[in-house]
Amino acid sequence: MKSGNAILSSYGTTIFEVMSRLSEEHGAINLGQGFPDERGPADVLDAAATALMTGWNQYPSMMGTPDLRQALASHAKRFYDLDVDWKTETMVTSGATEALTACLLGLINPGDEVVLFQPMYDSYLPIVRLAGGVPRFVSLKAPDWSFTRADLEAAFSPRTKLVLINDPLNPAAKVFSRPELELIAEFIQRFDTLAVCDEVYEHLVFDGRRHIPLMTLPGMRDRCLKIGSAGKTFSLTGWKVGYVTAAPHLLQPVAKAHQFLTFTTPPNLQTAVAFGLNKDDGYFAELAGGLQAKRDRLAAGLTAVGFDVLPSAGTYFVVADVARFGFDGDDQAFCRWLTAEAGVTAIPVSAFFVEDAPKSCVRFCFSKKNEVLDAAIERLSRRFGKV
């Protein structure tokens, strides 16, 4: 019997699925997989329900409904002072992962090199390889997940086609600073490359920081494809509504890939997301503020238990270094042990690396109800003898 695709077959079951199954087996509190356990904003849900019952339920435009694409253009102007033509520079996808896939399949030719920052979301590398791309890695270094000019010099070459950057970054909870983005932009222009910018956590930024799209830097407007996610912005990850903003010459090949992937996205959900993007500033401030409070709650609890908690500037996550516990094993073994022995599930950060991975860092998700976070800390406190 002939085998399946050699690239995809080489990958095992995702670490999120592995740890979630283990969590269920042990009745653990799952702080591994990154999704909120709230219902999401009621008015956005109502908009979707109304559109489902009274609106259009046949194929919408491949590029997305006009109301959502217009809302995307308004959102770009409102938050980033970007002038976007909704007719030629926006496209709606069935989730940000589909947006990412369409970007990579639409832009990469076999043999093109792609610069990736690790730790990185687990879908990046398989898609790059499926497209025929050759990965080149920049390893970010804990605790601040920094990189240097020398790191970029080692990764870029005349064969570099594009850079894939996740900002804010899952799993490290890093928000790239303007000087860091300027350095990346310098290399992108020097090597005449493109940038696919996964910015799904753009509104989940803490402590008074502001997200800076790479697209807004000088010389970057026509080199960047910006990916966003309604799932993260409205705490509705199951909806799988994503979007791409890019100059027409970049969006055109991406749209051709999109038409052969999902083609289109449920129109009622698009109507609701358009409504949501037009919500007032208070919603977006409350979203970030509420998650920042949850971050602080979990981080304080982990610190009290004895974890070394690393800075978390955005996303749903905090990373903790567990080296001080003297555990006999790596981060993957620690997460399995923690699930079985303490009843709390985390994700090993080494799963987000291909090379040069730290072996003592684990990721916890804090986008959960306060009582869930408190129960997790109570279990950890009992196991580590802090109560």
Side-chain angles (χ1 to χ4, degrees):
M1 183 73 69
K2 292 182 178 179
S3 60
N5 179 273
I7 293 173
L8 294 180
S9 297
S10 69
Y11 290 91
T13 304
T14 171
I15 188 65
F16 308 109
E17 180 66 17
V18 170
M19 294 309 301
S20 290
R21 289 177 186 173
L22 193 63
S23 183
E24 291 179 6
E25 179 183 336
H26 291 281
I29 295 173
N30 191 349
L31 300 186
Q33 203 157 11
F35 58 84
D37 57 4
E38 306 284 356
R39 283 193 50 77
D43 54 354
V44 176
L45 295 174
D46 287 342
T50 299
L52 177 67
M53 297 306 297
T54 64
W56 179 256
N57 283 294
Q58 308 305 326
Y59 292 130
S61 165
M62 180 187 86
M63 298 299 289
T65 61
D67 59 341
L68 178 49
R69 298 172 69 199
Q70 289 165 12
L72 290 170
S74 297
H75 175 272
K77 183 66 175 179
R78 173 183 171 189
F79 287 98
Y80 309 121
D81 198 28
L82 282 168
D83 292 312
V84 172
D85 181 352
W86 72 269
K87 292 182 178 179
T88 63
E89 297 187 313
T90 65
M91 183 178 75
V92 180
T93 60
S94 293
T97 300
E98 196 248 310
L100 175 75
T101 304
C103 286
L104 297 177
L105 293 179
L107 296 172
I108 295 173
N109 288 309
D112 287 340
E113 293 185 359
V114 178
V115 174
L116 299 159
F117 291 84
Q118 53 174 8
M120 59 189 171
Y121 187 60
D122 66 345
S123 70
Y124 291 179
L125 188 57
I127 300 170
V128 167
R129 286 180 166 157
L130 263 183
V134 179
R136 295 287 181 256
F137 301 108
V138 176
S139 297
L140 303 176
K141 300 164 187 69
D144 58 349
W145 307 105
S146 59
F147 65 97
T148 65
R149 175 178 290 273
D151 293 328
L152 298 187
E153 292 282 5
F156 279 78
S157 84
R159 295 179 297 278
T160 304
K161 179 64 170 290
L162 63 85
V163 180
L164 177 52
I165 181 172
N166 180 205
D167 181 25
L169 192 152
N170 169 24
K174 173 186 176 68
V175 173
F176 285 76
S177 68
R178 187 173 188 90
E180 289 175 324
L181 294 172
E182 288 173 344
L183 182 58
I184 294 169
E186 175 190 326
F187 275 76
I188 288 171
Q189 293 178 87
R190 174 177 151 193
F191 288 91
D192 190 22
T193 66
L194 307 174
V196 174
C197 305
D198 179 351
E199 301 180 12
V200 297
Y201 295 100
E202 61 186 324
H203 289 294
L204 312 186
V205 177
F206 311 136
D207 303 314
R209 296 178 180 85
R210 290 191 64 83
H211 170 62
I212 305 171
L214 186 62
M215 181 182 282
T216 63
L217 269 60
M220 290 294 101
R221 178 65 172 83
D222 291 335
R223 293 183 179 272
C224 292
L225 301 98
K226 181 182 184 301
I227 296 173
S229 166
K232 302 301 190 295
T233 298
F234 303 108
S235 303
L236 295 166
T237 58
W239 279 19
K240 300 299 291 179
V241 178
Y243 17 85
V244 184
T245 301
H249 72 281
L250 296 180
L251 194 60
Q252 184 179 21
V254 174
K256 290 182 178 180
H258 164 66
Q259 73 179 338
F260 297 123
L261 290 170
T262 62
F263 179 69
T264 193
T265 299
N268 57 304
L269 299 184
Q270 293 192 55
T271 297
V273 173
F275 170 84
L277 288 174
N278 287 315
K279 286 168 72 71
D280 62 31
D281 290 350
Y283 167 77
F284 297 93
E286 184 178 344
L287 173 69
L291 284 166
Q292 179 177 320
K294 290 178 181 293
R295 176 206 64 179
D296 293 344
R297 192 184 196 99
L298 181 59
L302 291 172
T303 299
V305 170
F307 289 82
D308 287 321
V309 178
L310 278 58
S312 169
T315 75
Y316 288 151
F317 311 110
V318 292
V319 173
D321 193 320
V322 300
R324 68 160 55 186
F325 293 123
F327 181 78
D328 184 18
D330 62 12
D331 57 342
Q332 298 202 30
F334 182 88
C335 286
R336 289 192 294 269
W337 175 86
L338 195 71
T339 299
E341 298 297 326
V344 177
T345 299
I347 295 291
V349 170
S350 66
F352 299 87
F353 281 78
V354 174
E355 57 192 30
D356 304 322
K359 297 299 185 181
S360 62
C361 289
V362 302
R363 188 196 80 174
F364 294 93
C365 175
F366 55 75
S367 60
K368 308 296 180 183
K369 295 175 182 176
N370 287 340
E371 53 266 35
V372 173
L373 300 178
D374 292 345
I377 293 301
E378 183 180 354
R379 290 187 179 191
L380 293 172
S381 297
R382 286 201 303 268
R383 183 60 186 81
F384 289 94
K386 298 295 180 180
V387 293

